[in-house]
Every structure is written in structure tokens, then in C-alpha cells.
Amino acid sequence: MADYDAIVVGAGLAGSTAAYCMAKEGLSVLILERGDTAGSKNVTGGRLYGHSLEKVIPGFAKEAPIERTVTREVISMLTADSCFNIDFHSTKFAGSPSSESYTVLRAEFDAWLTGKAEEAGCDVVCPARVDSLLKENGKVVGVVAGDDELTADVVILADGVNSLLAQKEGLKKELSPHQVAVGAKQIIELPENVINDRFCLNKGEGVARLLAGKPTNGMVGGGFIYTNKESLCVGLVVTVADIMKSPQRLPDMLEAFTQHPSIKPLLEGGKLAEYSAHLVPEGGLAMLPTLVADNLLVTGDAAGLCINLGFTVRGMDFAIASGEMAARTVIEAKARNDFSAAGLAGYRKRLDESFVMKDLQTHKNAPDFIEHTTRVYNEYPALVERIFLDMFRVNGTPSVRMLKKVFPHLRQVGFLNLMKDGIKGMGAI
């Protein structure tokens, strides 16, 4: 008899959600997390779209350690000296739990979610590094963690984007530099009232700001700023392919970003509380591994379930949804006592019928557009800078109509390029 019905590798959002749902239904479940605590090794910009978890734990935001409800969206284009913002602030973002999004600190939030799984009856061991899958006659029967061999009817891999276990099992190819990005993030502490004043927020409101252009010096990627109660998450994400070719180190780029004339005043007087870096899946639908095998499921970042549309980045809601669907599948498999690939096939079916795969399919061309439309990261920020300098500069020279101000700048980039990028972008995003 197996030690557990299910062993979950990784105490991130996917793993803890899966464990919570299974334990709640009476299954014996074990989470093994290689970090010192749940969430201690998890890095993200810090935004959670709440709809997935709301389905699993209705009203979770009333007890979970969320930081702020996002009511303001800002998209920025930066050159060395200028910043152009699209700034949208609406209280209509708040008020409906199924459509609200929140800023979170993963170390706190993941610990809370793993705690919910423990309350439901799940065992949690941290730190515990899983070295390999345990097999008998070629069949997965558990995991090997240090000197311990632990058995289970099914193993759920939720061990992050570079899941070595999935790679060893042949479910996932080695990561391509074009499919992943490296993110570096600072957490900068500031008083709540200072954050509210600097970002024009009411109490409890938050900002999600994404930036392109100068933050990455023309490389594929961008910057982000998220407001927490008493801190800011400030960081950069750049594809590994570009970092490999760059003479600049990512930490140096992040430092330069924080010194930009439009960013520095927002951080003034803040205390650096944390610095972290992590790989981020960027390949979309093209990087999905095999998700189901005998006695084995792959979830969350390990499954490459992430989407970057430039104006929004999603991964946490995908992870939670995939964890819940994996759990439902295992519960059904236990009732039939069939943990074969055929018996677990409902997981992929659930994913295919959900927003997760439908959104990835809808935006399957987004990764290619974002990676290869390099004008977004250099020429377009410079174009916007030139246009708006001409619009707002008053120096005593005779004025001309707007068309004459704008036309030369558009021609410099090229009307054909503008048209091609616009058509490609509309088709991808």
C-alpha cells in the first residue's frame, strides 16, 4: 500500500491548490517543498487575478494576505530622458470578487495557501528536495527525496519552470533561451501614506505598471512596478536569449532602471528589503510539455502555463486553475482506482475546455510577436518621445498643424513597418 494517495512536488500556487482540493476530499496528500518555507523561493512581479482561487476558496481575499486591490493600470514607454504613460484608473476594477486582481507578496501568500492545505489535512515537509521519481518496473510509484523513498498512487509536478523531474521523465524538453526570461526584482519599503500620495491612490487601492523601452535597452522584455501596502515591487524581465548576448548584467540594468528620472522620485527614501531573481516561462502554447503520463501530472509553471501580452502578464491564475483541475482528476482516478495515463486523461480535457488553454490558443502568436517586433523596445518609445516633444514644446517658433508635426516622425520609422506591426500585433494580442 502506498504511503500517500498523492505527492505534490512544490508548494507554489499550483501545488498548494492541488493539495488543498485533494485533502479537502479526504485524500492523503504530501507536499514536498525545497525552500525553507512555502513561498520562500517563489518570485513574481506580484499580481494575482483572483477568479481562479475565488472558485476554489470563495471569499479568499477576506482572509488571505493580499496587499492591495488593483484599480489603476499604467502602460509606459521609456527613453533615456522621457516617459509616456497610458494611465487608466477605475473603481470598477473593484467590487466583484470574480474579476478583482490583487498585489501579493508570494512569500506570505504562498505560506497562507499551503497553510490552508495543511488545515484540510495535507502533510507538508520543508525543506525537502526531490531528486528523482521512484519507479518499479518502469512505473512511477513515488519520489526519492534525499535518503527517503516515499510512495504514492500519483505524483503531481509543480516544481517550477525548469522542472528537472519532468525533463528526466521525458515529458519536457530542455528549456530554450527564447522560451524563458529571467526576472530580477527589488522589494522597496515605503510608508503606506507615501505610496498612496505618490501613486494617487486611496487606501487599499493598488497600481500595476508595465514599462517598455529603456528599462531593457531595446532587448525583449520590460519593467514592472506593483504597489503593496507598505512596499513596492520593482523589477525587470528579459529573455534569456537576449541576456546571453548582452554586455550588460541584469542587476546593472535594474539599478539603471531605478535611477530613471521618471522612476527615481517614486522610490526616494525607500529601503531595499529584498532582492530576488527567477526564470519565467515566455513561450506560451509552443512550450507546453506532455502534461499527463502514468501516475504523473504536470501543473503550473512546470507546464509552461503563462502568457505575456505586453499589457498584462498572467501565470498565477493559470497555475491555480491547473492545480484545481489536476486535483479533480486525481479524485476521480482514485474513485476508479485507475492512475494510468488514460485514467488521468481528464486533466488535459479539463484544461482544454477551460480558459487556460483557450487563452493560450487565442494568443498563441503573442510570444513570436513580442520577441521579434523589436521596434516596440527601441524605435517606438523614441517615436513617441519625438512626437510629444513637438506637440508640447513652445519656444517662439511658428506653429504648424498637428499632421505636419507627426508625419515626419512616422515616416522615419516607416509607414510599412507601422502597418505590418499593427496588423501582426492585432492578430497576436
Side-chain angles (χ1 to χ4, degrees):
M1 182 176 176
D3 297 322
Y4 291 92
D5 292 319
I7 292 176
V8 179
V9 183
L13 298 180
S16 291
T17 300
Y20 170 80
C21 292
M22 290 186 292
K24 194 177 177 185
E25 293 299 316
L27 274 66
S28 59
V29 185
L30 170 67
I31 294 178
L32 297 173
E33 164 58 40
R34 67 190 178 100
D36 291 336
T37 60
S40 63
K41 299 185 73 65
N42 293 335
V43 179
T44 183
R47 182 181 192 169
L48 169 68
Y49 291 94
H51 64 100
S52 294
L53 194 53
E54 184 66 26
K55 180 182 175 184
V56 176
I57 307 175
F60 78 92
K62 295 177 182 177
E63 61 171 299
I66 64 168
E67 293 294 309
R68 292 172 181 259
T69 302
V70 176
T71 59
R72 186 175 167 205
E73 306 275 359
V74 183
I75 306 295
S76 302
M77 284 189 170
L78 270 64
T79 65
D81 307 303
S82 304
C83 176
F84 173 80
N85 294 327
I86 299 173
D87 190 334
F88 181 61
H89 186 187
S90 176
T91 56
K92 291 183 178 180
F93 283 124
S96 174
S98 61
S99 61
E100 286 183 337
S101 66
Y102 312 96
T103 56
V104 297
L105 295 169
R106 288 291 299 272
E108 297 178 12
F109 192 86
D110 288 21
W112 169 81
L113 186 56
T114 303
K116 296 294 288 186
E118 283 189 286
E119 290 175 12
C122 174
D123 292 338
V124 179
V125 178
C126 314
R129 190 183 73 183
V130 176
D131 300 304
S132 62
L133 297 174
L134 181 64
K135 292 187 176 183
E136 289 182 2
N137 301 320
K139 174 185 174 183
V140 174
V141 294
V143 300
V144 178
D147 296 329
D148 296 321
E149 293 185 351
L150 301 163
T151 60
D153 292 322
V154 65
V155 175
I156 296 178
L157 300 182
D159 51 336
V161 60
N162 57 341
S163 175
L164 297 180
L165 295 173
Q167 289 184 39
K168 288 179 181 178
E169 194 61 19
L171 302 179
K172 184 174 185 169
K173 296 179 181 178
E174 187 175 347
L175 294 174
S176 162
H178 296 277
Q179 292 180 328
V180 290
V182 59
K185 181 184 76 175
Q186 296 180 358
I187 295 180
I188 299 175
E189 294 178 345
L190 283 167
E192 181 177 5
N193 65 308
V194 173
I195 293 173
N196 291 344
D197 290 345
R198 290 182 182 177
F199 289 87
C200 300
L201 299 170
N202 295 313
K203 186 177 179 62
E205 292 184 337
V207 170
R209 182 177 180 183
L210 300 180
L211 308 97
K214 183 59 180 175
T216 58
N217 293 318
M219 290 186 285
V220 179
F224 59 83
I225 300 176
Y226 296 104
T227 55
N228 304 313
K229 286 179 182 176
E230 296 183 323
S231 66
L232 304 176
C233 289
V234 183
L236 292 180
V237 178
V238 184
T239 60
V240 172
D242 274 5
I243 282 291
M244 290 170 64
K245 298 180 293 185
S246 173
Q248 289 184 295
R249 296 168 60 250
L250 187 59
D252 296 332
M253 294 170 58
L254 179 54
E255 180 61 25
F257 172 48
T258 62
Q259 297 302 308
H260 189 276
S262 71
I263 305 300
K264 186 177 180 180
L266 299 176
L267 314 181
E268 186 176 357
K271 176 185 176 183
L272 179 61
E274 183 179 322
Y275 191 105
S276 53
H278 198 62
L279 285 178
V280 182
E282 290 275 319
L285 196 63
M287 73 176 293
L288 259 65
T290 300
L291 301 176
V292 181
D294 291 339
N295 309 88
L296 195 63
L297 296 174
V298 187
T299 63
D301 277 4
L305 300 178
C306 186
I307 189 167
N308 179 2
L309 300 181
F311 60 89
T312 186
V313 180
R314 293 169 57 195
M316 287 194 271
D317 61 327
F318 286 2
I320 291 167
S322 69
E324 186 225 352
M325 287 182 268
R328 301 301 173 204
T329 303
V330 172
I331 293 166
E332 290 179 354
K334 179 174 173 57
R336 298 190 303 267
N337 195 30
D338 181 5
F339 298 95
S340 66
L344 296 172
Y347 173 55
R348 180 61 194 249
K349 186 174 185 294
R350 281 183 165 90
L351 279 173
D352 287 341
E353 293 174 351
S354 74
F355 72 91
V356 176
M357 295 302 292
K358 289 179 180 179
D359 286 359
L360 286 171
Q361 181 65 39
T362 296
H363 301 292
K364 64 182 179 181
N365 296 324
D368 180 70
F369 172 75
I370 288 172
E371 180 175 359
H372 293 107
T373 311
T374 55
R375 282 181 286 271
V376 171
Y377 309 104
N378 44 61
E379 293 183 50
Y380 290 149
L383 169 66
V384 170
E385 178 188 54
R386 294 194 302 270
I387 288 174
F388 280 87
L389 281 173
D390 278 357
M391 281 179 58
F392 293 112
R393 180 184 287 126
V394 176
N395 58 9
T397 59
S399 184
V400 297
R401 286 189 294 272
M402 184 60 66
L403 183 61
K404 287 189 175 182
K405 289 182 179 180
V406 173
F407 190 84
H409 301 301
L410 299 179
R411 184 169 56 192
Q412 189 171 341
V413 172
F415 292 105
L416 184 59
N417 288 333
L418 290 164
M419 184 173 66
K420 286 193 302 184
D421 291 345
I423 293 172
K424 189 175 180 180
M426 287 188 288
I429 295 175

